[in-house]
Amino acid sequence: MNTLIALIGPTGVGKTELSLQVAEAFHTCILSADSRQLYADLPIGTAAPTPEQLKRVRHYLVGTLQLTDYYSAAQYEADALRLLDELFGRHRAVVLTGGSMMYVDAVCRGIDDIPTVDEDTRRLMLQKYETEGLERLCAELRLLDPEYYRIVDLKNPKRVVHALEICYMTGRTYTSFRTQTPKERPFRIVKVGLRREREELYARINSRVDRMMEDGLLDEAKRVYPHKGCNALNTVGYKELFKYLDGEWTLPFAVEKIKQNSRIYSRKQMTWFKRDRDIRWFHPDQAAEILDYLRATVPAQ
């Protein structure tokens, strides 16, 4: 049976180089599971594969969207499965890598069959969010779907707004659509997780932010600033620099906040991944051990 090699871990841990080595060892390609690398205008802030890395290994679902494009985890699931069906016709194994937890789960477990939100409802909820603010929407969610209210990240407007969109459009709670039953896949899944000690990871995150700034992250943020209301830009790196461009923060403070928020995000990622008992964990420096494990685990065709 064909095998999906899922190489996962927190931001800054070192997934990119390892994924290239694994893909080269298995003479295959890489399917990105990064919700922001999908957007073509954000190569620096999303640490998208460089032209040199793209020459080494063919990547899919990188730089395929415009900032104004609407995209969801459910759409990603459909696109990824369609691609895998095609790619497994040419490769016995395909590498999936990225730090977007929901995207990894979308491929490995499947997304619940939640209805697609229509344009009228989406516009209505966007208007409510812009005029009433997140706190009012959270209060409304508490009334309409108290069960989801108890578990959702109330500081994440995308999650809160989407749940309310479903409530408004269907007349049912968002919770009622969340079965969380894993879907069967026509391929094997082998999960390899990368982790480092906290201080080591944090130092790498801080250095990576400095390197992004040297590579032109501020100029990139300036280019996309006219679209700052797009959901694609509601992410670490751009939100903080927009505060600087708005005159609310100094540049050094914005950079420190990028580092801080990146570290916080890495903790959330690890909390999510640690719940998955199917992941075999390694330090990124254990490249030889990882390849030996995969060669022993992924059957030859």
Side-chain angles (χ1 to χ4, degrees):
M1 182 179 282
N2 294 317
T3 304
L4 181 70
I5 301 171
L7 186 66
I8 51 189
T11 185
V13 76
K15 296 185 295 295
T16 299
E17 181 56 34
L18 247 305
S19 67
L20 291 165
Q21 292 181 40
V22 171
E24 288 171 333
F26 283 87
H27 307 289
T28 188
C29 54
I30 292 174
L31 187 65
S32 172
D34 188 300
S35 64
R36 292 302 182 260
Q37 286 184 6
L38 279 159
Y39 295 95
D41 296 322
L42 311 175
I44 299 174
T46 64
T50 65
E52 292 75 18
Q53 291 166 339
L54 293 173
K55 286 179 183 177
R56 284 176 62 183
V57 174
R58 177 74 183 271
H59 286 65
Y60 292 88
L61 298 181
V62 173
T64 58
L65 299 178
Q66 301 303 310
L67 292 175
T68 54
D69 289 341
Y70 175 78
Y71 202 73
S72 67
Q75 287 172 287
Y76 174 80
E77 177 187 11
D79 289 343
L81 292 179
R82 175 182 50 78
L83 272 170
L84 286 172
D85 186 54
E86 173 190 332
L87 295 173
F88 280 137
R90 303 195 296 269
H91 306 284
R92 66 187 173 97
V94 173
V95 177
L96 174 79
T97 191
S100 296
M101 300 86 79
M102 285 192 66
Y103 278 29
V104 173
D105 274 3
V107 176
C108 297
R109 293 174 52 87
I111 294 291
D112 291 326
D113 293 323
I114 295 172
T116 300
V117 179
D118 61 59
E119 286 298 324
D120 289 341
T121 304
R122 185 170 294 121
R123 280 194 296 268
L124 170 65
M125 294 312 303
L126 178 60
Q127 183 181 18
K128 283 176 69 69
Y129 171 58
E130 291 175 344
T131 57
E132 299 179 19
L134 182 59
E135 189 173 346
R136 288 284 298 275
L137 293 189
C138 287
E140 189 168 0
L141 181 62
R142 186 177 185 179
L143 292 173
L144 295 178
D145 191 349
E147 188 175 347
Y148 188 63
Y149 173 86
R150 286 195 295 271
I151 63 172
V152 70
D153 178 1
L154 295 173
K155 295 182 180 179
N156 187 325
K158 182 180 178 183
R159 302 274 183 268
V160 173
V161 168
H162 183 57
L164 284 173
E165 287 173 342
I166 297 300
C167 293
Y168 269 64
M169 190 180 77
T170 67
R172 290 170 50 184
T173 65
Y174 183 61
T175 301
S176 68
F177 291 97
R178 286 165 46 87
T179 63
Q180 297 183 315
T181 302
K183 299 176 182 176
E184 288 195 12
R185 297 304 192 204
F187 47 82
R188 295 175 66 247
I189 300 171
V190 177
K191 296 179 181 178
V192 171
L194 302 181
R195 60 184 172 191
R196 298 177 185 265
E197 293 299 326
R198 181 169 290 190
E199 277 98 25
E200 181 187 16
L201 179 62
Y202 285 2
R204 284 177 58 89
I205 288 173
N206 293 341
S207 296
R208 186 165 86 152
V209 172
D210 288 335
R211 190 164 60 252
M212 286 178 173
M213 292 301 296
E214 292 168 4
D215 290 343
L217 179 58
L218 179 57
D219 287 336
E220 186 170 275
K222 288 178 180 177
R223 285 197 298 273
V224 299
Y225 181 78
H227 302 286
K228 69 174 185 173
C230 293
N231 182 63
L233 295 168
N234 182 29
T235 190
V236 177
Y238 302 98
K239 292 190 299 184
E240 296 83 358
L241 290 178
F242 292 159
K243 292 275 192 180
Y244 162 68
L245 294 174
D246 287 336
E248 296 181 38
W249 291 351
T250 66
L251 183 57
F253 184 78
V255 172
E256 286 305 310
K257 292 297 287 185
I258 295 173
K259 294 177 180 178
Q260 179 186 27
N261 290 333
S262 296
R263 297 191 298 266
I264 291 171
Y265 182 56
S266 74
R267 293 201 298 271
K268 290 181 179 179
Q269 289 172 302
M270 284 306 298
T271 298
W272 181 290
F273 290 134
K274 281 179 179 178
R275 298 181 303 186
D276 190 338
R277 296 183 180 180
D278 293 331
I279 299 175
R280 176 75 175 268
W281 292 98
F282 295 88
H283 189 282
D285 290 344
Q286 296 177 284
E289 290 91 333
I290 291 171
L291 288 172
D292 286 344
Y293 167 70
L294 289 172
R295 290 188 182 105
T297 307
V298 178
Q301 220 168 6

